[in-house]
Amino acid sequence: MNILMINPPMQVDMQPEIPPLGMAYVSQELKRKGHKVDILDIDSYRYAREDVSARILASSADIFGIGGLVTAYPYLSWLVPEIRSLKPGKKILLGGALASSLREVCFNRFDIDYIVIGEGEVTTPELLETIEHSDDLHAVKGIGFRDGNGRTIITDKRPLMPSLEEVPTFDDEPFPMEKLLKNTNGTLQIHAQRGCPSSCTFCFNCYRVTDGRVRYRPAEKVIDEIEYFKKKFGDKIKLFALSGECITMNKDWIIGFCREIIRRGLKIKYRVTSRVDTIDEERLGWLRDSGCVTMSLGLESGSDKILKIMKKGATAEKGKRAVMLAKRYIPEIEACIILGYIGEDMHTLRDTVDFAKEIGVRPALFFATPFPGTELYNMAIEKGRIRDEETFRMGLDKVLTFNFSINLTDMTDDAADKALKSAVHDIERHYLRVEFNNFRLVRRVWLKLAESGPKRTVSWALKRVGEVFFDRA
């Protein structure tokens, strides 16, 4: 069959950074099965609507497959009717996190024919084969469709792929890679892991719709892919980001990965994701020695009350200890904190501000956003924070998690807005002061060295360091 796969824009106010890896893998598998596949990457190229219409009109596709995150929902309100108008009688298939998180809603809201739920590499080819042979769609696991009476049918769950050994090297040819690398200052995502056993209330994991198993690609294949892109793009790649919810979870895998990088003599810089309870000195030592320069740690809050509501399975004290340990080995720690959660009040906010100062790492601050498919979304509806779901969904393309867009807290709107802005300002001001003091300290060390010599200077500098990082922290 002839398929046009469409990647709609994810966020209208953000430049594109990451190619659609999931769509690329489905496309590669369909081609392997003998189908003709083209990709219309609207998100990366940012085509105007008239250009999108022209490309759809010129397409000879039998099926139009649309992927994407839930933030693409508003765009589909234009895209799906446009396909129907330009290509009447052709089939429309919806996949990705959007389809998995809003199954029945997508059928009610959009004139689509099928959805693919969860992983698409096995399900999509099987669905197309069933369509080609006019077989019974009820037998295809992991899909949704309309029956002869127009009713929405969701079939049984499809088990996850047992392993990721057959996941191929990402085919980057359909995508403007140099543009995306420029937008990310040279960061390239490398697919390494799928799944997450955690149940954080703010997160939707497309693979967890089946179960919570975590699977890794073989470390050797991940490194083969790194070497391939390093050779292809050279110095344009500054950092390889291992893609996965928590790369450090499997200790044997991460140490094996590090060993193989060292064995090959591969000189790279890379980034991993981690939880506070999946690092230790052994893992961190291997990471440091093999080129890991950045670690993303999901701390989320400095309040144990909020962490419990989030179902993080961690405490603020564990988070603090994890940061203190990690920064001894890894140069850059991305300490992620979410403000304005369900249950947030002045006391929990003060705990988080104090926590953010104490960890000694400038955190990446985000505001709680209830995305469809998450438990947080359901909580927001139950508590009356989302009064009109369709209106909320139609604004998802403009929702940025680093902007305060919805009040989920126990405070009034005005009080929450004031308190959250004050918290951000307090944290930012603290780290600006620390950075200023560090710069001033370096300058004074040089002056002291010239004035008093090495021995006295070291003693004086150690005392000043203690003042900056402890007395004033």
Side-chain angles (χ1 to χ4, degrees):
M1 298 183 79
N2 191 343
I3 303 102
L4 178 65
M5 304 192 78
I6 303 175
N7 183 39
M10 299 297 116
Q11 293 276 7
V12 296
D13 295 327
M14 291 182 65
Q15 62 185 9
E17 297 183 344
I18 304 172
L21 296 178
M23 179 174 287
Y25 289 130
V26 173
S27 171
Q28 288 172 247
E29 183 61 20
L30 288 172
K31 289 177 181 177
R32 195 179 72 83
K33 297 282 188 178
H35 297 282
K36 183 181 184 301
V37 183
D38 291 308
I39 294 179
L40 176 56
D41 187 1
I42 306 170
D43 188 47
S44 296
Y45 286 99
R46 293 300 163 102
Y47 294 123
R49 289 189 175 186
E50 54 268 26
D51 294 329
V52 173
S53 298
R55 291 170 186 273
I56 291 171
L57 187 60
S59 173
S60 58
D62 305 302
I63 291 183
F64 292 83
I66 307 169
L69 302 176
V70 72
T71 52
Y73 183 91
Y75 192 85
L76 265 62
S77 65
W78 171 80
L79 180 61
V80 173
E82 187 71 357
I83 295 172
R84 283 288 182 228
S85 173
L86 298 174
K87 295 291 181 178
K90 300 299 183 181
K91 301 297 185 182
I92 299 178
L93 164 66
L94 186 60
L98 172 56
S100 295
S101 62
L102 291 172
R103 306 167 195 186
E104 288 82 0
V105 170
C106 287
F107 276 111
N108 293 334
R109 180 66 174 79
F110 307 121
D111 184 13
I112 57 175
D113 299 288
Y114 315 102
I115 64 169
V116 169
I117 302 165
E119 284 178 317
E121 290 105 315
V122 176
T123 306
T124 308
E126 185 178 325
L127 172 60
L128 297 190
E129 183 179 353
T130 303
I131 294 169
E132 270 192 297
H133 295 92
S134 301
D135 290 337
D136 183 10
L137 291 170
H138 292 81
V140 182
K141 293 182 178 180
I143 66 165
F145 64 95
R146 300 181 194 274
D147 68 9
N149 298 315
R151 294 176 303 184
T152 298
I153 305 296
I154 305 295
T155 64
D156 294 339
K157 288 182 179 180
R158 177 176 293 277
L160 293 172
M161 294 161 53
S163 81
L164 303 182
E165 289 188 13
E166 300 305 316
V167 173
T169 294
F170 161 63
D171 178 13
D172 63 299
E173 288 303 320
F175 311 106
M177 294 303 295
E178 296 203 8
K179 172 185 177 180
L180 298 176
L181 286 171
K182 183 178 179 181
N183 289 349
T184 59
N185 297 315
T187 298
L188 180 66
Q189 294 272 345
I190 298 292
H191 180 42
Q193 179 207 55
R194 294 184 190 179
C196 181
S198 303
S199 301
C200 302
T201 53
F202 55 81
C203 180
F204 176 80
N205 186 291
C206 200
Y207 306 113
R208 204 169 56 216
V209 298
T210 301
D211 64 45
R213 279 188 297 135
V214 176
R215 295 155 299 151
Y216 287 78
R217 293 176 69 194
E220 294 78 7
K221 289 196 172 184
V222 174
I223 298 170
D224 288 345
E225 188 164 322
I226 288 172
E227 287 190 308
Y228 167 78
F229 283 113
K230 187 175 188 294
K231 182 177 180 181
K232 182 170 184 176
F233 293 108
D235 292 341
K236 291 175 182 175
I237 298 178
K238 309 298 182 186
L239 182 74
F240 290 95
L242 299 191
S243 175
E245 299 288 347
C246 183
I247 296 297
T248 60
M249 184 172 294
N250 186 315
K251 186 172 183 176
D252 290 340
W253 188 93
I254 195 65
I255 291 177
F257 173 82
C258 297
R259 284 183 190 275
E260 184 62 14
I261 288 179
I262 294 170
R263 188 191 70 79
R264 296 190 192 190
L266 191 57
K267 303 301 180 184
I268 60 168
K269 294 179 179 179
Y270 69 94
R271 170 187 182 272
V272 296
T273 53
S274 182
R275 284 176 52 92
V276 302
D277 53 1
T278 61
I279 55 173
D280 52 39
E281 298 217 36
E282 185 179 8
R283 270 177 274 211
L284 289 166
W286 281 104
L287 288 164
R288 175 198 59 200
D289 294 344
S290 59
C292 179
V293 296
T294 306
M295 173 177 285
S296 176
L297 272 174
L299 305 177
E300 318 309 357
S301 180
S303 162
D304 287 341
K305 171 190 169 183
I306 299 299
L307 289 170
K308 188 173 181 180
I309 295 172
M310 290 176 170
K311 296 184 179 178
K312 280 295 296 182
T315 64
E317 182 59 32
K318 284 183 179 178
K320 192 186 303 181
R321 289 201 301 265
V323 174
M324 297 305 176
L325 176 61
K327 66 183 184 180
R328 285 166 44 196
Y329 293 86
I330 310 299
E332 182 180 359
I333 305 299
E334 296 175 355
C336 302
I337 290 178
I338 299 174
L339 302 173
Y341 213 74
I342 291 275
E344 190 90 272
D345 55 31
M346 292 301 295
H347 299 292
T348 62
L349 205 52
R350 173 45 54 191
D351 288 342
T352 296
V353 169
D354 292 344
F355 171 82
K357 294 177 182 180
E358 290 166 4
I359 60 176
V361 173
R362 182 195 286 265
L365 301 174
F366 303 94
F367 292 101
T369 304
F371 289 108
T374 66
E375 189 174 341
L376 180 60
Y377 182 77
N378 297 331
M379 294 164 71
I381 293 171
E382 290 170 7
K383 290 181 176 292
R385 302 298 195 270
I386 297 175
R387 295 180 177 85
D388 186 314
E389 291 187 63
E390 182 61 15
T391 299
F392 181 80
R393 290 191 293 259
M394 286 299 292
L396 286 171
D397 59 339
K398 298 179 181 65
V399 169
L400 301 175
T401 54
F402 43 81
N403 288 338
F404 179 49
S405 59
I406 181 171
N407 181 18
L408 303 175
T409 74
D410 288 348
M411 299 176 275
T412 65
D413 290 352
D414 288 343
D417 183 62
K418 183 178 179 181
L420 291 169
K421 285 179 179 177
S422 176
V424 171
H425 179 69
D426 197 358
I427 294 168
E428 291 294 333
R429 182 177 57 189
H430 169 80
Y431 281 100
L432 282 173
R433 186 171 68 244
V434 169
E435 289 168 5
F436 174 78
N437 286 341
N438 288 345
F439 174 78
R440 186 172 62 184
L441 179 64
V442 170
R443 182 174 179 274
R444 291 175 69 186
V445 164
W446 282 108
L447 293 175
K448 193 77 174 177
L449 189 62
E451 176 186 324
S452 306
K455 188 173 182 179
R456 284 188 176 182
T457 300
V458 169
S459 176
W460 174 88
L462 288 174
K463 184 178 179 182
R464 297 290 87 75
V465 167
E467 290 174 357
V468 169
F469 285 101
F470 298 100
D471 294 350
R472 301 180 190 177

